[in-house]
Amino acid sequence: DTGVSQNPRHKITKRGQNVTFRCDPISEHNRLYWYRQTLGQGPEFLTYFQNEAQLEKSRLLSDRFSAERPKGSFSTLEIQRTEQGDSAMYLCASSLESMSTEAFFGQGTRLTVV
Amino acid sequence: KQEVTQIPAALSVPEGENLVLNCSFTDSAIYNLQWFRQDPGKGLTSLLLIQSSQREQTSGRLNASLDKSSGRSTLYIAASQPGDSATYLCAVRADDYKLSFGAGTTVTVRA
């Protein structure tokens, strides 16, 4: 069991640049989630996929954010024209398709926009 | 909208003391509740998952209780160790897929 893997672990970018993060879920998990966490707060839901279908997007996910999960495997989260307010920890999680299932999180990608 | 509150926000205890962390939620219609541990700058590690039909769940020195009707859960950590120092987060699943998190309790265990 390799767990949920996220890359990169850290990203520093200049304001206005585009960034892309990758998440590799646990292989048999068909659900994949993205959350964002700012300092001192709990994670906030951004979006989730069931297989390759993106089924829900939070209002936190502005038009500058886009997420994909081609072929229902890994997922990417892209932020275009980054702003300083985008600085946060971006967490990916995966689970089986069941309301009673446990969610497993990756190590996160720490984004700093300067 | 589900609101999750964790009290206290921070806790400092000497090694060996038992820890009691509280979590409350506003909507009792949940599927389950999950406790996580987070070390500084790291991701979340799942500690315990309690289904809505369960009253408690145990793993080693950890015990979590759930009172769904009153919207409360408590995480007990017995005989704390310096390695238990971390932030502990509770999360409830009220939708089929989304977790709602509290802000966490930051624990420091003094050697």
Side-chain angles (χ1 to χ4, degrees), chain A residues 9 31 33 35 37 40-43 45 48 56 89 91 95 98-103 105-108 110, chain B residues 1 31-32 34 36 38 41-49 51 89 93 96-99 101-104:
Chain A
R9 293 291 310 279
R31 288 190 171 181
Y33 316 80
Y35 286 80
Q37 185 180 27
Q41 300 299 315
F45 171 81
Y48 105 100
E56 178 73 16
M89 173 78 88
L91 294 160
S95 73
S98 167
M99 64 182 70
S100 63
T101 193
E102 186 173 6
F105 281 75
Q107 289 297 298
R110 166 71 66 188
Chain B
K1 179 176 181 278
Y31 291 117
N32 56 46
Q34 202 167 347
F36 294 90
Q38 186 173 33
K42 299 294 177 67
L44 277 61
T45 300
S46 180
L47 297 174
L48 289 168
L49 172 71
Q51 304 298 342
L89 295 155
R93 184 188 298 274
D96 187 26
Y97 52 88
K98 187 189 311 180
L99 288 172
F101 282 86

mmCIF file of all heavy atoms in Angstrom, chain A residues 9 31 33 35 37 40-43 45 48 56 89 91 95 98-103 105-108 110, chain B residues 1 31-32 34 36 38 41-49 51 89 93 96-99 101-104:
data_model
loop_
_atom_site.group_PDB
_atom_site.id
_atom_site.type_symbol
_atom_site.label_atom_id
_atom_site.label_comp_id
_atom_site.label_asym_id
_atom_site.label_seq_id
_atom_site.Cartn_x
_atom_site.Cartn_y
_atom_site.Cartn_z
ATOM 1 N N ARG A 9 5.983 18.519 -3.284
ATOM 2 C CA ARG A 9 5.671 18.748 -1.877
ATOM 3 C C ARG A 9 5.629 20.234 -1.563
ATOM 4 O O ARG A 9 4.863 20.682 -0.725
ATOM 5 C CB ARG A 9 6.702 18.063 -0.989
ATOM 6 C CG ARG A 9 6.673 16.555 -1.049
ATOM 7 C CD ARG A 9 5.401 15.994 -0.400
ATOM 8 N NE ARG A 9 5.174 16.565 0.916
ATOM 9 C CZ ARG A 9 5.778 16.157 2.024
ATOM 10 N NH1 ARG A 9 6.642 15.167 1.978
ATOM 11 N NH2 ARG A 9 5.513 16.727 3.179
ATOM 12 N N ARG A 31 -12.813 7.244 -5.663
ATOM 13 C CA ARG A 31 -13.126 8.635 -5.324
ATOM 14 C C ARG A 31 -11.843 9.386 -4.990
ATOM 15 O O ARG A 31 -10.974 8.871 -4.283
ATOM 16 C CB ARG A 31 -14.093 8.702 -4.147
ATOM 17 C CG ARG A 31 -15.495 8.276 -4.532
ATOM 18 C CD ARG A 31 -16.480 8.562 -3.456
ATOM 19 N NE ARG A 31 -17.843 8.345 -3.918
ATOM 20 C CZ ARG A 31 -18.913 8.530 -3.181
ATOM 21 N NH1 ARG A 31 -18.782 8.961 -1.935
ATOM 22 N NH2 ARG A 31 -20.112 8.306 -3.675
ATOM 23 N N TYR A 33 -10.493 13.459 -3.874
ATOM 24 C CA TYR A 33 -10.920 14.755 -3.355
ATOM 25 C C TYR A 33 -9.737 15.714 -3.301
ATOM 26 O O TYR A 33 -8.604 15.303 -3.045
ATOM 27 C CB TYR A 33 -11.462 14.621 -1.922
ATOM 28 C CG TYR A 33 -12.379 13.445 -1.676
ATOM 29 C CD1 TYR A 33 -11.871 12.164 -1.461
ATOM 30 C CD2 TYR A 33 -13.757 13.616 -1.609
ATOM 31 C CE1 TYR A 33 -12.702 11.087 -1.212
ATOM 32 C CE2 TYR A 33 -14.597 12.537 -1.352
ATOM 33 C CZ TYR A 33 -14.060 11.279 -1.153
ATOM 34 O OH TYR A 33 -14.896 10.219 -0.901
ATOM 35 N N TYR A 35 -8.700 19.302 -1.202
ATOM 36 C CA TYR A 35 -9.011 20.217 -0.119
ATOM 37 C C TYR A 35 -7.910 21.280 -0.071
ATOM 38 O O TYR A 35 -6.780 21.053 -0.519
ATOM 39 C CB TYR A 35 -9.034 19.489 1.239
ATOM 40 C CG TYR A 35 -10.240 18.606 1.467
ATOM 41 C CD1 TYR A 35 -10.309 17.334 0.908
ATOM 42 C CD2 TYR A 35 -11.302 19.037 2.248
ATOM 43 C CE1 TYR A 35 -11.407 16.519 1.125
ATOM 44 C CE2 TYR A 35 -12.408 18.225 2.477
ATOM 45 C CZ TYR A 35 -12.451 16.970 1.902
ATOM 46 O OH TYR A 35 -13.547 16.161 2.120
ATOM 47 N N GLN A 37 -6.022 23.990 2.749
ATOM 48 C CA GLN A 37 -5.871 24.305 4.164
ATOM 49 C C GLN A 37 -4.965 25.513 4.328
ATOM 50 O O GLN A 37 -3.827 25.518 3.855
ATOM 51 C CB GLN A 37 -5.290 23.112 4.915
ATOM 52 C CG GLN A 37 -5.211 23.314 6.427
ATOM 53 C CD GLN A 37 -4.618 22.115 7.140
ATOM 54 O OE1 GLN A 37 -3.828 21.365 6.573
ATOM 55 N NE2 GLN A 37 -4.998 21.915 8.405
ATOM 56 N N GLY A 40 -3.604 27.406 10.519
ATOM 57 C CA GLY A 40 -4.460 27.477 11.694
ATOM 58 C C GLY A 40 -5.904 27.070 11.464
ATOM 59 O O GLY A 40 -6.725 27.145 12.382
ATOM 60 N N GLN A 41 -6.202 26.643 10.245
ATOM 61 C CA GLN A 41 -7.574 26.240 9.923
ATOM 62 C C GLN A 41 -7.624 24.771 9.530
ATOM 63 O O GLN A 41 -6.611 24.171 9.176
ATOM 64 C CB GLN A 41 -8.103 27.083 8.759
ATOM 65 C CG GLN A 41 -8.129 28.570 9.045
ATOM 66 C CD GLN A 41 -9.013 28.915 10.214
ATOM 67 O OE1 GLN A 41 -10.140 28.428 10.339
ATOM 68 N NE2 GLN A 41 -8.503 29.750 11.116
ATOM 69 N N GLY A 42 -8.833 24.217 9.567
ATOM 70 C CA GLY A 42 -9.004 22.876 9.054
ATOM 71 C C GLY A 42 -9.118 22.898 7.536
ATOM 72 O O GLY A 42 -9.378 23.947 6.940
ATOM 73 N N PRO A 43 -8.911 21.769 6.892
ATOM 74 C CA PRO A 43 -9.053 21.710 5.431
ATOM 75 C C PRO A 43 -10.468 22.071 4.980
ATOM 76 O O PRO A 43 -11.442 21.747 5.662
ATOM 77 C CB PRO A 43 -8.730 20.248 5.114
ATOM 78 C CG PRO A 43 -7.891 19.779 6.252
ATOM 79 C CD PRO A 43 -8.435 20.503 7.446
ATOM 80 N N PHE A 45 -13.137 21.796 1.663
ATOM 81 C CA PHE A 45 -13.417 21.024 0.456
ATOM 82 C C PHE A 45 -13.351 21.909 -0.786
ATOM 83 O O PHE A 45 -13.896 23.024 -0.813
ATOM 84 C CB PHE A 45 -14.808 20.401 0.581
ATOM 85 C CG PHE A 45 -15.321 19.753 -0.674
ATOM 86 C CD1 PHE A 45 -14.911 18.484 -1.018
ATOM 87 C CD2 PHE A 45 -16.219 20.416 -1.497
ATOM 88 C CE1 PHE A 45 -15.382 17.878 -2.166
ATOM 89 C CE2 PHE A 45 -16.704 19.821 -2.639
ATOM 90 C CZ PHE A 45 -16.284 18.546 -2.976
ATOM 91 N N TYR A 48 -14.457 17.084 -5.956
ATOM 92 C CA TYR A 48 -14.239 15.655 -5.882
ATOM 93 C C TYR A 48 -14.617 14.977 -7.190
ATOM 94 O O TYR A 48 -15.431 15.484 -7.970
ATOM 95 C CB TYR A 48 -14.948 15.040 -4.671
ATOM 96 C CG TYR A 48 -16.218 14.257 -4.942
ATOM 97 C CD1 TYR A 48 -16.181 12.867 -4.993
ATOM 98 C CD2 TYR A 48 -17.438 14.898 -5.081
ATOM 99 C CE1 TYR A 48 -17.345 12.140 -5.188
ATOM 100 C CE2 TYR A 48 -18.597 14.177 -5.280
ATOM 101 C CZ TYR A 48 -18.556 12.795 -5.327
ATOM 102 O OH TYR A 48 -19.707 12.071 -5.515
ATOM 103 N N GLU A 56 -18.577 17.523 -8.067
ATOM 104 C CA GLU A 56 -18.917 18.652 -7.204
ATOM 105 C C GLU A 56 -17.740 19.607 -7.151
ATOM 106 O O GLU A 56 -16.595 19.179 -7.070
ATOM 107 C CB GLU A 56 -19.254 18.159 -5.790
ATOM 108 C CG GLU A 56 -19.578 19.255 -4.794
ATOM 109 C CD GLU A 56 -20.939 19.902 -5.002
ATOM 110 O OE1 GLU A 56 -21.746 19.307 -5.728
ATOM 111 O OE2 GLU A 56 -21.187 20.969 -4.425
ATOM 112 N N MET A 89 -1.869 25.065 1.837
ATOM 113 C CA MET A 89 -1.542 23.663 1.636
ATOM 114 C C MET A 89 -2.687 23.043 0.837
ATOM 115 O O MET A 89 -3.854 23.178 1.231
ATOM 116 C CB MET A 89 -1.392 22.960 2.987
ATOM 117 C CG MET A 89 -1.215 21.453 2.882
ATOM 118 S SD MET A 89 0.446 20.989 2.419
ATOM 119 C CE MET A 89 1.204 20.911 4.051
ATOM 120 N N LEU A 91 -4.372 19.666 -0.310
ATOM 121 C CA LEU A 91 -4.395 18.266 0.113
ATOM 122 C C LEU A 91 -5.278 17.442 -0.809
ATOM 123 O O LEU A 91 -6.356 17.872 -1.208
ATOM 124 C CB LEU A 91 -4.951 18.163 1.540
ATOM 125 C CG LEU A 91 -4.096 18.782 2.641
ATOM 126 C CD1 LEU A 91 -4.929 19.066 3.870
ATOM 127 C CD2 LEU A 91 -2.933 17.874 2.977
ATOM 128 N N SER A 95 -10.789 7.622 -1.501
ATOM 129 C CA SER A 95 -11.581 6.666 -0.731
ATOM 130 C C SER A 95 -12.305 5.736 -1.696
ATOM 131 O O SER A 95 -12.373 5.984 -2.908
ATOM 132 C CB SER A 95 -12.592 7.380 0.163
ATOM 133 O OG SER A 95 -13.659 7.908 -0.612
ATOM 134 N N SER A 98 -18.318 4.598 -0.949
ATOM 135 C CA SER A 98 -19.252 4.155 0.084
ATOM 136 C C SER A 98 -19.404 5.275 1.088
ATOM 137 O O SER A 98 -18.435 5.943 1.422
ATOM 138 C CB SER A 98 -18.724 2.906 0.795
ATOM 139 O OG SER A 98 -19.467 2.658 1.978
ATOM 140 N N MET A 99 -20.612 5.460 1.584
ATOM 141 C CA MET A 99 -20.830 6.533 2.547
ATOM 142 C C MET A 99 -20.159 6.243 3.879
ATOM 143 O O MET A 99 -19.962 7.138 4.683
ATOM 144 C CB MET A 99 -22.328 6.758 2.744
ATOM 145 C CG MET A 99 -23.059 5.588 3.342
ATOM 146 S SD MET A 99 -24.817 5.903 3.491
ATOM 147 C CE MET A 99 -25.315 5.872 1.792
ATOM 148 N N SER A 100 -19.781 4.992 4.104
ATOM 149 C CA SER A 100 -19.171 4.649 5.385
ATOM 150 C C SER A 100 -17.657 4.548 5.304
ATOM 151 O O SER A 100 -17.007 4.161 6.257
ATOM 152 C CB SER A 100 -19.727 3.312 5.880
ATOM 153 O OG SER A 100 -19.386 2.287 4.978
ATOM 154 N N THR A 101 -17.109 4.912 4.164
ATOM 155 C CA THR A 101 -15.700 4.630 3.950
ATOM 156 C C THR A 101 -14.770 5.654 4.601
ATOM 157 O O THR A 101 -15.141 6.800 4.841
ATOM 158 C CB THR A 101 -15.406 4.561 2.450
ATOM 159 O OG1 THR A 101 -14.133 3.994 2.227
ATOM 160 C CG2 THR A 101 -15.455 5.939 1.822
ATOM 161 N N GLU A 102 -13.548 5.220 4.846
ATOM 162 C CA GLU A 102 -12.521 6.065 5.434
ATOM 163 C C GLU A 102 -11.796 6.808 4.314
ATOM 164 O O GLU A 102 -11.521 6.241 3.257
ATOM 165 C CB GLU A 102 -11.546 5.175 6.195
ATOM 166 C CG GLU A 102 -10.476 5.891 6.994
ATOM 167 C CD GLU A 102 -9.675 4.891 7.841
ATOM 168 O OE1 GLU A 102 -9.886 3.675 7.697
ATOM 169 O OE2 GLU A 102 -8.838 5.349 8.647
ATOM 170 N N ALA A 103 -11.488 8.076 4.563
ATOM 171 C CA ALA A 103 -10.719 8.872 3.608
ATOM 172 C C ALA A 103 -9.255 8.874 4.010
ATOM 173 O O ALA A 103 -8.921 9.020 5.187
ATOM 174 C CB ALA A 103 -11.257 10.298 3.555
ATOM 175 N N PHE A 105 -5.502 10.673 3.217
ATOM 176 C CA PHE A 105 -4.928 11.901 2.675
ATOM 177 C C PHE A 105 -3.463 11.720 2.303
ATOM 178 O O PHE A 105 -2.756 10.895 2.891
ATOM 179 C CB PHE A 105 -5.034 13.032 3.694
ATOM 180 C CG PHE A 105 -6.392 13.661 3.756
ATOM 181 C CD1 PHE A 105 -7.449 13.005 4.371
ATOM 182 C CD2 PHE A 105 -6.623 14.910 3.190
ATOM 183 C CE1 PHE A 105 -8.711 13.579 4.421
ATOM 184 C CE2 PHE A 105 -7.874 15.493 3.227
ATOM 185 C CZ PHE A 105 -8.925 14.825 3.849
ATOM 186 N N GLY A 106 -3.032 12.532 1.342
ATOM 187 C CA GLY A 106 -1.627 12.600 0.992
ATOM 188 C C GLY A 106 -0.887 13.581 1.876
ATOM 189 O O GLY A 106 -1.466 14.160 2.811
ATOM 190 N N GLN A 107 0.388 13.799 1.575
ATOM 191 C CA GLN A 107 1.233 14.688 2.362
ATOM 192 C C GLN A 107 1.049 16.161 2.016
ATOM 193 O O GLN A 107 1.580 17.026 2.688
ATOM 194 C CB GLN A 107 2.705 14.304 2.194
ATOM 195 C CG GLN A 107 3.046 12.990 2.880
ATOM 196 C CD GLN A 107 2.842 13.080 4.381
ATOM 197 O OE1 GLN A 107 3.483 13.870 5.059
ATOM 198 N NE2 GLN A 107 1.923 12.283 4.918
ATOM 199 N N GLY A 108 0.295 16.414 0.961
ATOM 200 C CA GLY A 108 -0.004 17.788 0.626
ATOM 201 C C GLY A 108 1.054 18.463 -0.237
ATOM 202 O O GLY A 108 2.210 18.031 -0.293
ATOM 203 N N ARG A 110 2.554 22.292 -0.512
ATOM 204 C CA ARG A 110 2.562 23.633 0.084
ATOM 205 C C ARG A 110 2.878 24.635 -1.006
ATOM 206 O O ARG A 110 3.954 24.606 -1.587
ATOM 207 C CB ARG A 110 3.611 23.710 1.187
ATOM 208 C CG ARG A 110 3.948 25.128 1.650
ATOM 209 C CD ARG A 110 2.831 25.743 2.434
ATOM 210 N NE ARG A 110 2.604 25.067 3.709
ATOM 211 C CZ ARG A 110 1.580 25.322 4.517
ATOM 212 N NH1 ARG A 110 0.684 26.216 4.180
ATOM 213 N NH2 ARG A 110 1.434 24.661 5.629
ATOM 214 N N LYS B 1 -25.693 24.316 6.856
ATOM 215 C CA LYS B 1 -24.267 24.078 6.666
ATOM 216 C C LYS B 1 -23.679 23.501 7.950
ATOM 217 O O LYS B 1 -23.886 24.034 9.023
ATOM 218 C CB LYS B 1 -23.571 25.400 6.308
ATOM 219 C CG LYS B 1 -22.063 25.284 6.096
ATOM 220 C CD LYS B 1 -21.489 26.623 5.650
ATOM 221 C CE LYS B 1 -19.995 26.531 5.410
ATOM 222 N NZ LYS B 1 -19.202 26.641 6.621
ATOM 223 N N TYR B 31 -22.936 10.569 8.488
ATOM 224 C CA TYR B 31 -22.668 9.169 8.174
ATOM 225 C C TYR B 31 -21.579 8.610 9.086
ATOM 226 O O TYR B 31 -21.649 7.485 9.557
ATOM 227 C CB TYR B 31 -22.218 9.025 6.719
ATOM 228 C CG TYR B 31 -23.312 9.312 5.728
ATOM 229 C CD1 TYR B 31 -23.211 10.369 4.840
ATOM 230 C CD2 TYR B 31 -24.451 8.514 5.670
ATOM 231 C CE1 TYR B 31 -24.211 10.638 3.924
ATOM 232 C CE2 TYR B 31 -25.456 8.776 4.761
ATOM 233 C CZ TYR B 31 -25.321 9.844 3.887
ATOM 234 O OH TYR B 31 -26.320 10.098 2.992
ATOM 235 N N ASN B 32 -20.528 9.408 9.284
ATOM 236 C CA ASN B 32 -19.451 8.974 10.170
ATOM 237 C C ASN B 32 -18.615 10.172 10.595
ATOM 238 O O ASN B 32 -18.821 11.299 10.116
ATOM 239 C CB ASN B 32 -18.571 7.904 9.505
ATOM 240 C CG ASN B 32 -17.980 8.346 8.170
ATOM 241 O OD1 ASN B 32 -17.473 9.450 8.051
ATOM 242 N ND2 ASN B 32 -18.040 7.479 7.182
ATOM 243 N N GLN B 34 -14.432 11.142 11.584
ATOM 244 C CA GLN B 34 -13.062 10.650 11.479
ATOM 245 C C GLN B 34 -12.139 11.578 12.245
ATOM 246 O O GLN B 34 -12.260 12.814 12.137
ATOM 247 C CB GLN B 34 -12.672 10.586 9.993
ATOM 248 C CG GLN B 34 -11.535 9.659 9.657
ATOM 249 C CD GLN B 34 -11.404 9.406 8.152
ATOM 250 O OE1 GLN B 34 -12.291 9.718 7.361
ATOM 251 N NE2 GLN B 34 -10.292 8.819 7.768
ATOM 252 N N PHE B 36 -8.167 12.745 12.770
ATOM 253 C CA PHE B 36 -6.889 12.772 12.061
ATOM 254 C C PHE B 36 -5.822 13.394 12.944
ATOM 255 O O PHE B 36 -6.103 14.207 13.818
ATOM 256 C CB PHE B 36 -6.986 13.620 10.786
ATOM 257 C CG PHE B 36 -7.889 13.083 9.723
ATOM 258 C CD1 PHE B 36 -9.232 13.453 9.704
ATOM 259 C CD2 PHE B 36 -7.407 12.246 8.734
ATOM 260 C CE1 PHE B 36 -10.080 12.980 8.713
ATOM 261 C CE2 PHE B 36 -8.241 11.769 7.734
ATOM 262 C CZ PHE B 36 -9.581 12.132 7.726
ATOM 263 N N GLN B 38 -2.179 15.625 12.410
ATOM 264 C CA GLN B 38 -1.392 16.369 11.441
ATOM 265 C C GLN B 38 -0.142 16.911 12.115
ATOM 266 O O GLN B 38 -0.235 17.686 13.067
ATOM 267 C CB GLN B 38 -2.206 17.517 10.823
ATOM 268 C CG GLN B 38 -1.468 18.226 9.700
ATOM 269 C CD GLN B 38 -2.332 19.246 8.977
ATOM 270 O OE1 GLN B 38 -3.190 19.884 9.573
ATOM 271 N NE2 GLN B 38 -2.117 19.390 7.679
ATOM 272 N N GLY B 41 3.407 21.072 8.863
ATOM 273 C CA GLY B 41 3.785 21.074 7.454
ATOM 274 C C GLY B 41 3.517 19.778 6.720
ATOM 275 O O GLY B 41 3.966 19.604 5.579
ATOM 276 N N LYS B 42 2.803 18.866 7.344
ATOM 277 C CA LYS B 42 2.561 17.566 6.726
ATOM 278 C C LYS B 42 1.079 17.362 6.432
ATOM 279 O O LYS B 42 0.232 18.188 6.764
ATOM 280 C CB LYS B 42 3.038 16.455 7.680
ATOM 281 C CG LYS B 42 4.524 16.524 8.005
ATOM 282 C CD LYS B 42 5.370 16.260 6.791
ATOM 283 C CE LYS B 42 6.850 16.391 7.068
ATOM 284 N NZ LYS B 42 7.345 15.359 7.983
ATOM 285 N N GLY B 43 0.794 16.227 5.809
ATOM 286 C CA GLY B 43 -0.591 15.884 5.511
ATOM 287 C C GLY B 43 -1.305 15.302 6.714
ATOM 288 O O GLY B 43 -0.814 15.375 7.845
ATOM 289 N N LEU B 44 -2.463 14.707 6.465
ATOM 290 C CA LEU B 44 -3.301 14.166 7.526
ATOM 291 C C LEU B 44 -3.152 12.652 7.599
ATOM 292 O O LEU B 44 -3.182 11.968 6.572
ATOM 293 C CB LEU B 44 -4.772 14.495 7.258
ATOM 294 C CG LEU B 44 -5.291 15.871 7.686
ATOM 295 C CD1 LEU B 44 -4.562 16.993 6.984
ATOM 296 C CD2 LEU B 44 -6.787 15.970 7.417
ATOM 297 N N THR B 45 -3.025 12.165 8.826
ATOM 298 C CA THR B 45 -2.986 10.732 9.061
ATOM 299 C C THR B 45 -4.267 10.321 9.765
ATOM 300 O O THR B 45 -4.597 10.874 10.825
ATOM 301 C CB THR B 45 -1.773 10.348 9.940
ATOM 302 O OG1 THR B 45 -0.576 10.741 9.275
ATOM 303 C CG2 THR B 45 -1.742 8.856 10.212
ATOM 304 N N SER B 46 -4.989 9.379 9.193
ATOM 305 C CA SER B 46 -6.233 8.924 9.802
ATOM 306 C C SER B 46 -5.939 8.116 11.061
ATOM 307 O O SER B 46 -5.101 7.219 11.062
ATOM 308 C CB SER B 46 -7.018 8.071 8.807
ATOM 309 O OG SER B 46 -8.230 7.619 9.380
ATOM 310 N N LEU B 47 -6.648 8.463 12.148
ATOM 311 C CA LEU B 47 -6.467 7.764 13.416
ATOM 312 C C LEU B 47 -7.609 6.783 13.685
ATOM 313 O O LEU B 47 -7.385 5.613 13.984
ATOM 314 C CB LEU B 47 -6.387 8.771 14.564
ATOM 315 C CG LEU B 47 -5.223 9.750 14.542
ATOM 316 C CD1 LEU B 47 -5.360 10.769 15.666
ATOM 317 C CD2 LEU B 47 -3.894 9.013 14.651
ATOM 318 N N LEU B 48 -8.825 7.299 13.614
ATOM 319 C CA LEU B 48 -9.996 6.485 13.927
ATOM 320 C C LEU B 48 -11.170 6.938 13.075
ATOM 321 O O LEU B 48 -11.324 8.131 12.807
ATOM 322 C CB LEU B 48 -10.386 6.628 15.409
ATOM 323 C CG LEU B 48 -9.466 5.985 16.451
ATOM 324 C CD1 LEU B 48 -9.824 6.477 17.843
ATOM 325 C CD2 LEU B 48 -9.562 4.476 16.397
ATOM 326 N N LEU B 49 -11.991 5.987 12.692
ATOM 327 C CA LEU B 49 -13.230 6.258 11.969
ATOM 328 C C LEU B 49 -14.371 5.668 12.786
ATOM 329 O O LEU B 49 -14.322 4.482 13.146
ATOM 330 C CB LEU B 49 -13.189 5.613 10.588
ATOM 331 C CG LEU B 49 -14.479 5.640 9.779
ATOM 332 C CD1 LEU B 49 -14.766 7.049 9.298
ATOM 333 C CD2 LEU B 49 -14.391 4.682 8.589
ATOM 334 N N GLN B 51 -18.440 5.068 12.724
ATOM 335 C CA GLN B 51 -19.673 5.122 11.948
ATOM 336 C C GLN B 51 -20.787 5.722 12.809
ATOM 337 O O GLN B 51 -20.732 5.672 14.032
ATOM 338 C CB GLN B 51 -20.068 3.720 11.466
ATOM 339 C CG GLN B 51 -19.013 2.998 10.655
ATOM 340 C CD GLN B 51 -18.667 3.728 9.361
ATOM 341 O OE1 GLN B 51 -19.410 4.575 8.882
ATOM 342 N NE2 GLN B 51 -17.515 3.394 8.795
ATOM 343 N N LEU B 89 -7.345 16.761 14.309
ATOM 344 C CA LEU B 89 -8.499 17.299 13.595
ATOM 345 C C LEU B 89 -9.624 16.277 13.599
ATOM 346 O O LEU B 89 -9.377 15.080 13.416
ATOM 347 C CB LEU B 89 -8.126 17.604 12.142
ATOM 348 C CG LEU B 89 -7.081 18.698 11.922
ATOM 349 C CD1 LEU B 89 -6.363 18.490 10.609
ATOM 350 C CD2 LEU B 89 -7.731 20.073 11.940
ATOM 351 N N ARG B 93 -18.645 13.430 8.100
ATOM 352 C CA ARG B 93 -19.160 13.233 6.745
ATOM 353 C C ARG B 93 -20.669 13.346 6.818
ATOM 354 O O ARG B 93 -21.337 12.445 7.335
ATOM 355 C CB ARG B 93 -18.759 11.876 6.185
ATOM 356 C CG ARG B 93 -19.199 11.667 4.742
ATOM 357 C CD ARG B 93 -18.947 10.220 4.303
ATOM 358 N NE ARG B 93 -17.546 9.878 4.354
ATOM 359 C CZ ARG B 93 -16.688 10.116 3.366
ATOM 360 N NH1 ARG B 93 -17.095 10.698 2.265
ATOM 361 N NH2 ARG B 93 -15.428 9.747 3.475
ATOM 362 N N ASP B 96 -22.574 12.502 1.109
ATOM 363 C CA ASP B 96 -22.067 11.206 0.690
ATOM 364 C C ASP B 96 -20.563 11.238 0.448
ATOM 365 O O ASP B 96 -19.905 10.213 0.431
ATOM 366 C CB ASP B 96 -22.777 10.776 -0.591
ATOM 367 C CG ASP B 96 -22.421 9.360 -0.987
ATOM 368 O OD1 ASP B 96 -22.057 8.555 -0.109
ATOM 369 O OD2 ASP B 96 -22.483 9.057 -2.190
ATOM 370 N N TYR B 97 -19.993 12.424 0.275
ATOM 371 C CA TYR B 97 -18.606 12.468 -0.135
ATOM 372 C C TYR B 97 -17.773 13.511 0.611
ATOM 373 O O TYR B 97 -16.583 13.372 0.753
ATOM 374 C CB TYR B 97 -18.518 12.801 -1.630
ATOM 375 C CG TYR B 97 -19.309 14.048 -1.996
ATOM 376 C CD1 TYR B 97 -18.721 15.304 -1.919
ATOM 377 C CD2 TYR B 97 -20.631 13.965 -2.392
ATOM 378 C CE1 TYR B 97 -19.430 16.451 -2.221
ATOM 379 C CE2 TYR B 97 -21.349 15.108 -2.693
ATOM 380 C CZ TYR B 97 -20.754 16.340 -2.609
ATOM 381 O OH TYR B 97 -21.467 17.461 -2.897
ATOM 382 N N LYS B 98 -18.376 14.564 1.145
ATOM 383 C CA LYS B 98 -17.611 15.702 1.628
ATOM 384 C C LYS B 98 -17.361 15.599 3.132
ATOM 385 O O LYS B 98 -18.259 15.272 3.901
ATOM 386 C CB LYS B 98 -18.394 16.984 1.363
ATOM 387 C CG LYS B 98 -17.659 18.260 1.660
ATOM 388 C CD LYS B 98 -18.613 19.460 1.566
ATOM 389 C CE LYS B 98 -19.445 19.480 0.310
ATOM 390 N NZ LYS B 98 -20.338 20.654 0.263
ATOM 391 N N LEU B 99 -16.118 15.892 3.543
ATOM 392 C CA LEU B 99 -15.796 15.983 4.960
ATOM 393 C C LEU B 99 -15.797 17.445 5.392
ATOM 394 O O LEU B 99 -15.260 18.304 4.688
ATOM 395 C CB LEU B 99 -14.416 15.386 5.230
ATOM 396 C CG LEU B 99 -14.280 13.862 5.134
ATOM 397 C CD1 LEU B 99 -12.816 13.457 5.242
ATOM 398 C CD2 LEU B 99 -15.089 13.183 6.220
ATOM 399 N N PHE B 101 -14.419 19.821 8.395
ATOM 400 C CA PHE B 101 -13.390 19.754 9.419
ATOM 401 C C PHE B 101 -13.540 20.842 10.472
ATOM 402 O O PHE B 101 -14.009 21.958 10.185
ATOM 403 C CB PHE B 101 -12.007 19.950 8.778
ATOM 404 C CG PHE B 101 -11.467 18.742 8.073
ATOM 405 C CD1 PHE B 101 -11.805 18.487 6.760
ATOM 406 C CD2 PHE B 101 -10.604 17.876 8.724
ATOM 407 C CE1 PHE B 101 -11.305 17.377 6.095
ATOM 408 C CE2 PHE B 101 -10.084 16.768 8.074
ATOM 409 C CZ PHE B 101 -10.441 16.521 6.757
ATOM 410 N N GLY B 102 -13.069 20.522 11.686
ATOM 411 C CA GLY B 102 -12.829 21.539 12.680
ATOM 412 C C GLY B 102 -11.459 22.159 12.439
ATOM 413 O O GLY B 102 -10.696 21.690 11.579
ATOM 414 N N ALA B 103 -11.128 23.190 13.223
ATOM 415 C CA ALA B 103 -9.850 23.880 13.066
ATOM 416 C C ALA B 103 -8.716 23.152 13.769
ATOM 417 O O ALA B 103 -7.548 23.481 13.577
ATOM 418 C CB ALA B 103 -9.946 25.315 13.574
ATOM 419 N N GLY B 104 -9.057 22.160 14.593
ATOM 420 C CA GLY B 104 -8.032 21.349 15.221
ATOM 421 C C GLY B 104 -7.670 21.765 16.629
ATOM 422 O O GLY B 104 -7.943 22.894 17.061
#
